[in-house]
mmCIF file of all heavy atoms in Angstrom:
data_model
loop_
_atom_site.group_PDB
_atom_site.id
_atom_site.type_symbol
_atom_site.label_atom_id
_atom_site.label_comp_id
_atom_site.label_asym_id
_atom_site.label_seq_id
_atom_site.Cartn_x
_atom_site.Cartn_y
_atom_site.Cartn_z
ATOM 1 N N LYS A 268 -7.217 90.696 45.437
ATOM 2 C CA LYS A 268 -7.304 89.335 45.969
ATOM 3 C C LYS A 268 -6.503 89.208 47.252
ATOM 4 O O LYS A 268 -6.946 88.550 48.213
ATOM 5 C CB LYS A 268 -6.794 88.344 44.920
ATOM 6 C CG LYS A 268 -6.830 86.884 45.371
ATOM 7 C CD LYS A 268 -8.250 86.416 45.659
ATOM 8 C CE LYS A 268 -8.277 84.935 46.017
ATOM 9 N NZ LYS A 268 -9.631 84.467 46.393
ATOM 10 N N GLN A 269 -5.332 89.825 47.306
ATOM 11 C CA GLN A 269 -4.525 89.788 48.524
ATOM 12 C C GLN A 269 -5.289 90.404 49.699
ATOM 13 O O GLN A 269 -5.292 89.848 50.809
ATOM 14 C CB GLN A 269 -3.210 90.544 48.317
ATOM 15 C CG GLN A 269 -2.341 90.589 49.573
ATOM 16 C CD GLN A 269 -1.080 91.422 49.391
ATOM 17 O OE1 GLN A 269 -0.617 91.629 48.275
ATOM 18 N NE2 GLN A 269 -0.531 91.904 50.489
ATOM 19 N N ALA A 270 -5.939 91.531 49.461
ATOM 20 C CA ALA A 270 -6.703 92.184 50.533
ATOM 21 C C ALA A 270 -7.822 91.278 51.028
ATOM 22 O O ALA A 270 -8.090 91.189 52.235
ATOM 23 C CB ALA A 270 -7.270 93.513 50.033
ATOM 24 N N SER A 271 -8.481 90.574 50.104
ATOM 25 C CA SER A 271 -9.560 89.664 50.477
ATOM 26 C C SER A 271 -9.033 88.495 51.314
ATOM 27 O O SER A 271 -9.629 88.114 52.331
ATOM 28 C CB SER A 271 -10.251 89.142 49.211
ATOM 29 O OG SER A 271 -11.218 88.158 49.528
ATOM 30 N N VAL A 272 -7.896 87.922 50.884
ATOM 31 C CA VAL A 272 -7.308 86.799 51.627
ATOM 32 C C VAL A 272 -6.871 87.249 53.017
ATOM 33 O O VAL A 272 -7.105 86.558 54.019
ATOM 34 C CB VAL A 272 -6.118 86.210 50.840
ATOM 35 C CG1 VAL A 272 -5.349 85.197 51.696
ATOM 36 C CG2 VAL A 272 -6.609 85.556 49.554
ATOM 37 N N GLU A 273 -6.251 88.432 53.100
ATOM 38 C CA GLU A 273 -5.797 88.947 54.397
ATOM 39 C C GLU A 273 -6.975 89.207 55.331
ATOM 40 O O GLU A 273 -6.886 88.963 56.546
ATOM 41 C CB GLU A 273 -4.979 90.216 54.193
ATOM 42 C CG GLU A 273 -3.600 89.954 53.592
ATOM 43 C CD GLU A 273 -2.839 91.221 53.274
ATOM 44 O OE1 GLU A 273 -3.482 92.263 53.041
ATOM 45 O OE2 GLU A 273 -1.598 91.167 53.246
ATOM 46 N N ALA A 274 -8.085 89.706 54.782
ATOM 47 C CA ALA A 274 -9.274 89.937 55.611
ATOM 48 C C ALA A 274 -9.802 88.617 56.160
ATOM 49 O O ALA A 274 -10.178 88.528 57.336
ATOM 50 C CB ALA A 274 -10.350 90.646 54.793
ATOM 51 N N GLY A 275 -9.826 87.585 55.318
ATOM 52 C CA GLY A 275 -10.279 86.284 55.777
ATOM 53 C C GLY A 275 -9.396 85.717 56.877
ATOM 54 O O GLY A 275 -9.882 85.186 57.887
ATOM 55 N N ILE A 276 -8.076 85.853 56.702
ATOM 56 C CA ILE A 276 -7.137 85.368 57.716
ATOM 57 C C ILE A 276 -7.328 86.132 59.024
ATOM 58 O O ILE A 276 -7.342 85.533 60.112
ATOM 59 C CB ILE A 276 -5.692 85.513 57.206
ATOM 60 C CG1 ILE A 276 -5.441 84.539 56.050
ATOM 61 C CG2 ILE A 276 -4.688 85.274 58.332
ATOM 62 C CD1 ILE A 276 -4.103 84.743 55.362
ATOM 63 N N ALA A 277 -7.501 87.461 58.932
ATOM 64 C CA ALA A 277 -7.684 88.269 60.140
ATOM 65 C C ALA A 277 -8.940 87.841 60.894
ATOM 66 O O ALA A 277 -8.938 87.763 62.134
ATOM 67 C CB ALA A 277 -7.758 89.749 59.772
ATOM 68 N N GLY A 278 -10.011 87.548 60.162
ATOM 69 C CA GLY A 278 -11.241 87.112 60.804
ATOM 70 C C GLY A 278 -11.072 85.772 61.503
ATOM 71 O O GLY A 278 -11.519 85.586 62.645
ATOM 72 N N GLU A 279 -10.418 84.831 60.829
ATOM 73 C CA GLU A 279 -10.214 83.514 61.430
ATOM 74 C C GLU A 279 -9.267 83.595 62.626
ATOM 75 O O GLU A 279 -9.448 82.878 63.624
ATOM 76 C CB GLU A 279 -9.673 82.554 60.367
ATOM 77 C CG GLU A 279 -10.696 82.242 59.273
ATOM 78 C CD GLU A 279 -10.125 81.355 58.182
ATOM 79 O OE1 GLU A 279 -9.190 80.580 58.457
ATOM 80 O OE2 GLU A 279 -10.609 81.447 57.032
ATOM 81 N N GLU A 280 -8.259 84.462 62.559
ATOM 82 C CA GLU A 280 -7.348 84.632 63.692
ATOM 83 C C GLU A 280 -8.065 85.251 64.889
ATOM 84 O O GLU A 280 -7.758 84.922 66.045
ATOM 85 C CB GLU A 280 -6.157 85.506 63.290
ATOM 86 C CG GLU A 280 -5.084 84.756 62.512
ATOM 87 C CD GLU A 280 -4.398 83.696 63.352
ATOM 88 O OE1 GLU A 280 -4.435 83.774 64.596
ATOM 89 O OE2 GLU A 280 -3.839 82.756 62.752
ATOM 90 N N ARG A 281 -9.005 86.146 64.632
ATOM 91 C CA ARG A 281 -9.775 86.747 65.733
ATOM 92 C C ARG A 281 -10.568 85.674 66.472
ATOM 93 O O ARG A 281 -10.639 85.665 67.703
ATOM 94 C CB ARG A 281 -10.704 87.822 65.176
ATOM 95 C CG ARG A 281 -11.550 88.526 66.232
ATOM 96 C CD ARG A 281 -12.231 89.742 65.633
ATOM 97 N NE ARG A 281 -13.256 90.279 66.514
ATOM 98 C CZ ARG A 281 -13.015 91.047 67.562
ATOM 99 N NH1 ARG A 281 -11.773 91.382 67.863
ATOM 100 N NH2 ARG A 281 -14.014 91.508 68.301
ATOM 101 N N VAL A 282 -11.167 84.763 65.724
ATOM 102 C CA VAL A 282 -11.915 83.662 66.351
ATOM 103 C C VAL A 282 -10.963 82.730 67.098
ATOM 104 O O VAL A 282 -11.242 82.304 68.226
ATOM 105 C CB VAL A 282 -12.713 82.883 65.281
ATOM 106 C CG1 VAL A 282 -13.289 81.596 65.860
ATOM 107 C CG2 VAL A 282 -13.822 83.760 64.716
ATOM 108 N N ALA A 283 -9.811 82.425 66.492
ATOM 109 C CA ALA A 283 -8.844 81.555 67.155
ATOM 110 C C ALA A 283 -8.373 82.168 68.474
ATOM 111 O O ALA A 283 -8.163 81.462 69.465
ATOM 112 C CB ALA A 283 -7.653 81.288 66.234
ATOM 113 N N GLU A 284 -8.211 83.492 68.495
ATOM 114 C CA GLU A 284 -7.771 84.170 69.713
ATOM 115 C C GLU A 284 -8.815 84.029 70.829
ATOM 116 O O GLU A 284 -8.459 83.903 72.012
ATOM 117 C CB GLU A 284 -7.506 85.644 69.409
ATOM 118 C CG GLU A 284 -6.932 86.439 70.572
ATOM 119 C CD GLU A 284 -5.571 85.944 71.022
ATOM 120 O OE1 GLU A 284 -4.866 85.301 70.211
ATOM 121 O OE2 GLU A 284 -5.208 86.195 72.186
ATOM 122 N N ILE A 285 -10.075 84.042 70.463
ATOM 123 C CA ILE A 285 -11.140 83.827 71.465
ATOM 124 C C ILE A 285 -10.962 82.473 72.134
ATOM 125 O O ILE A 285 -11.074 82.342 73.363
ATOM 126 C CB ILE A 285 -12.527 83.922 70.806
ATOM 127 C CG1 ILE A 285 -12.821 85.365 70.363
ATOM 128 C CG2 ILE A 285 -13.618 83.411 71.745
ATOM 129 C CD1 ILE A 285 -13.008 86.338 71.488
ATOM 130 N N PHE A 286 -10.674 81.451 71.345
ATOM 131 C CA PHE A 286 -10.479 80.109 71.922
ATOM 132 C C PHE A 286 -9.235 80.049 72.789
ATOM 133 O O PHE A 286 -9.217 79.371 73.813
ATOM 134 C CB PHE A 286 -10.397 79.064 70.807
ATOM 135 C CG PHE A 286 -11.743 78.676 70.257
ATOM 136 C CD1 PHE A 286 -12.200 79.221 69.064
ATOM 137 C CD2 PHE A 286 -12.541 77.771 70.930
ATOM 138 C CE1 PHE A 286 -13.437 78.871 68.554
ATOM 139 C CE2 PHE A 286 -13.776 77.416 70.428
ATOM 140 C CZ PHE A 286 -14.236 77.976 69.234
ATOM 141 N N ARG A 287 -8.182 80.757 72.384
ATOM 142 C CA ARG A 287 -6.958 80.743 73.184
ATOM 143 C C ARG A 287 -7.174 81.383 74.559
ATOM 144 O O ARG A 287 -6.510 81.024 75.532
ATOM 145 C CB ARG A 287 -5.829 81.465 72.431
ATOM 146 C CG ARG A 287 -5.229 80.630 71.306
ATOM 147 C CD ARG A 287 -3.945 81.254 70.780
ATOM 148 N NE ARG A 287 -4.204 82.374 69.887
ATOM 149 C CZ ARG A 287 -4.309 82.279 68.566
ATOM 150 N NH1 ARG A 287 -4.186 81.103 67.993
ATOM 151 N NH2 ARG A 287 -4.531 83.349 67.838
ATOM 152 N N LYS A 288 -8.113 82.333 74.633
ATOM 153 C CA LYS A 288 -8.356 83.047 75.886
ATOM 154 C C LYS A 288 -9.461 82.422 76.734
ATOM 155 O O LYS A 288 -9.706 82.880 77.846
ATOM 156 C CB LYS A 288 -8.720 84.506 75.579
ATOM 157 C CG LYS A 288 -7.592 85.330 74.981
ATOM 158 C CD LYS A 288 -8.050 86.745 74.711
ATOM 159 C CE LYS A 288 -6.915 87.604 74.164
ATOM 160 N NZ LYS A 288 -7.365 88.993 73.862
ATOM 161 N N THR A 289 -10.148 81.418 76.199
ATOM 162 C CA THR A 289 -11.319 80.871 76.880
ATOM 163 C C THR A 289 -11.021 79.496 77.450
ATOM 164 O O THR A 289 -10.389 78.660 76.797
ATOM 165 C CB THR A 289 -12.509 80.761 75.900
ATOM 166 O OG1 THR A 289 -12.790 82.051 75.361
ATOM 167 C CG2 THR A 289 -13.744 80.225 76.602
ATOM 168 N N SER A 290 -11.473 79.266 78.653
ATOM 169 C CA SER A 290 -11.393 77.930 79.246
ATOM 170 C C SER A 290 -12.807 77.405 79.457
ATOM 171 O O SER A 290 -13.736 78.170 79.768
ATOM 172 C CB SER A 290 -10.641 77.971 80.583
ATOM 173 O OG SER A 290 -11.312 78.819 81.492
ATOM 174 N N PHE A 291 -12.990 76.114 79.275
ATOM 175 C CA PHE A 291 -14.289 75.476 79.466
ATOM 176 C C PHE A 291 -14.195 74.502 80.638
ATOM 177 O O PHE A 291 -13.121 73.971 80.936
ATOM 178 C CB PHE A 291 -14.718 74.741 78.195
ATOM 179 C CG PHE A 291 -14.956 75.654 77.016
ATOM 180 C CD1 PHE A 291 -13.958 75.895 76.088
ATOM 181 C CD2 PHE A 291 -16.185 76.269 76.844
ATOM 182 C CE1 PHE A 291 -14.170 76.736 75.010
ATOM 183 C CE2 PHE A 291 -16.403 77.118 75.758
ATOM 184 C CZ PHE A 291 -15.395 77.355 74.847
ATOM 185 N N SER A 292 -15.330 74.256 81.260
ATOM 186 C CA SER A 292 -15.370 73.340 82.411
ATOM 187 C C SER A 292 -15.476 71.887 81.973
ATOM 188 O O SER A 292 -15.573 70.997 82.804
ATOM 189 C CB SER A 292 -16.545 73.691 83.329
ATOM 190 O OG SER A 292 -17.776 73.593 82.623
ATOM 191 N N PHE A 293 -15.461 71.659 80.664
ATOM 192 C CA PHE A 293 -15.551 70.303 80.122
ATOM 193 C C PHE A 293 -14.496 70.163 79.028
ATOM 194 O O PHE A 293 -14.004 71.168 78.505
ATOM 195 C CB PHE A 293 -16.961 70.032 79.566
ATOM 196 C CG PHE A 293 -17.472 71.113 78.653
ATOM 197 C CD1 PHE A 293 -17.173 71.109 77.296
ATOM 198 C CD2 PHE A 293 -18.257 72.153 79.154
ATOM 199 C CE1 PHE A 293 -17.632 72.101 76.459
ATOM 200 C CE2 PHE A 293 -18.730 73.157 78.318
ATOM 201 C CZ PHE A 293 -18.420 73.129 76.976
#
Side-chain angles (χ1 to χ4, degrees):
K268 180 62 176 176
Q269 178 184 337
S271 174
V272 171
E273 288 175 334
I276 292 172
E279 292 177 27
E280 280 294 339
R281 180 169 168 79
V282 170
E284 185 63 23
I285 291 292
F286 281 100
R287 284 192 282 268
K288 293 180 178 179
T289 302
S290 60
F291 295 95
S292 60
F293 49 86

